[in-house]
Amino acid sequence: MKSMRYVITGASRGIGYEFVQQLLERGDIVDAGVRTEEGRRRLEPLKHDCAGRLRVHALDVADGASVRDFADEVLLEPVDVLINNAGVPGLWCALTDVDYADVVRTFAVNALGPLRVTSALLPGLLRGRSRKVAYVTSRMGSLSSNSDGGAYAYRMSKVALNMGVRNLSNDLRAQGIVPVLLHPGWVKTDMGGPDAPLPPRDSVRGMLNVIDELRAEHSGRFFDYQGAEVPW
């Protein structure tokens, strides 16, 4: 099978880094978006054995100019799959300790960032072979699953992302774009913490299986890394 071209945001650590590793291992082409020079350096070792299949680009999903520059570089070729992975946890705190500037920043990255990137890369997706867009969200953005409160910035930003993706599924259906929400599980990363039970490799392997099997009827739906549907 001919290699597919994936674009991944937030690609320098955790789940994003694991996406890059696994896609390169299976022979795909990856354009990785990273926010910092440190992130770029973290990906450099992966370039050694992939015969030019990894390209690393500067990208801050919360900055419109950065996204436009990223798109100018990425849109030189078609985009088969876009994985919107970049995200921040925000401050996990009680109502009385909410930092509203932090909430705004968390929304800018987690909810508006994926929308901004999708819009900018839409011409490349329309030229691609699969027209799939995956959004790494969280079960913490499920209204019906919220039984313990807290984490206002993170929860609310993921609810906003989930609604945005449902909107996109309606607006882009006629163009054959298939957007889907993915819950990665509680993963042992910097964000998930050392007590998380799930290794990044298992989470990403599962999410890639879900992405590989996506069809038009899955547009706008919410799945976990094992392919089970998550309640809204």
Side-chain angles (χ1 to χ4, degrees):
M1 182 182 293
K2 185 178 178 182
S3 296
M4 299 283 281
R5 184 165 180 246
Y6 287 75
V7 176
I8 304 171
T9 70
S12 67
R13 61 176 61 207
I15 289 171
Y17 184 91
E18 187 63 38
F19 267 122
V20 175
Q21 280 194 304
Q22 291 195 30
L23 289 168
L24 293 176
E25 285 171 4
R26 70 187 204 176
D28 290 309
I29 299 163
V30 178
D31 282 86
V34 301
R35 191 174 58 84
T36 66
E37 278 303 313
E38 179 189 356
R40 183 184 291 272
R41 288 192 296 271
R42 195 175 291 119
L43 288 174
E44 281 299 316
L46 297 183
K47 289 184 174 182
H48 295 161
D49 300 315
C50 69
R53 288 183 290 108
L54 172 61
R55 289 165 288 197
V56 183
H57 312 267
L59 174 63
D60 180 347
V61 302
D63 183 288
S66 176
V67 172
R68 288 191 294 273
D69 290 344
F70 177 71
D72 286 344
E73 297 176 9
V74 168
L75 291 179
L76 296 176
E77 299 174 41
V79 176
D80 294 315
V81 181
L82 167 61
I83 300 176
N84 282 291
N85 167 73
V88 295
L91 296 175
W92 289 42
C93 56
L95 175 62
T96 53
D97 296 319
V98 169
D99 180 328
Y100 291 95
D102 172 72
V103 174
V104 171
R105 169 65 181 168
T106 305
F107 264 78
V109 175
N110 292 358
L112 300 182
L115 191 67
R116 186 180 283 116
V117 172
T118 304
S119 178
L121 297 191
L122 187 58
L125 286 162
L126 291 172
R127 289 157 49 210
R129 285 179 289 155
S130 71
R131 301 189 179 188
K132 299 175 182 178
V133 188
Y135 299 79
V136 179
T137 183
S138 171
R139 189 181 292 273
M140 291 184 71
S142 165
L143 298 177
S144 60
S145 296
N146 185 355
S147 60
D148 52 1
Y152 283 86
Y154 186 74
R155 286 188 187 277
M156 293 171 68
S157 70
K158 290 301 187 180
V159 172
L161 170 63
N162 294 354
M163 178 57 78
V165 173
R166 178 59 68 90
N167 243 28
L168 288 169
S169 73
N170 292 321
D171 291 343
L172 301 179
R173 184 172 290 113
Q175 295 166 279
I177 303 292
V178 181
V180 66
L181 293 154
L182 296 177
H183 168 58
W186 183 13
V187 186
K188 191 174 292 187
T189 61
D190 289 346
M191 187 183 295
D195 295 329
L198 186 63
R201 190 158 191 83
D202 293 347
S203 171
V204 169
R205 184 184 295 114
M207 287 191 286
L208 285 175
N209 287 339
V210 174
I211 293 170
D212 289 343
E213 297 300 319
L214 287 178
R215 302 292 181 267
E217 61 267 25
H218 300 128
S219 179
R221 290 163 68 180
F222 188 174
F223 299 100
D224 70 13
Y225 72 99
Q226 295 174 310
E229 202 138 8
V230 178
W232 289 85

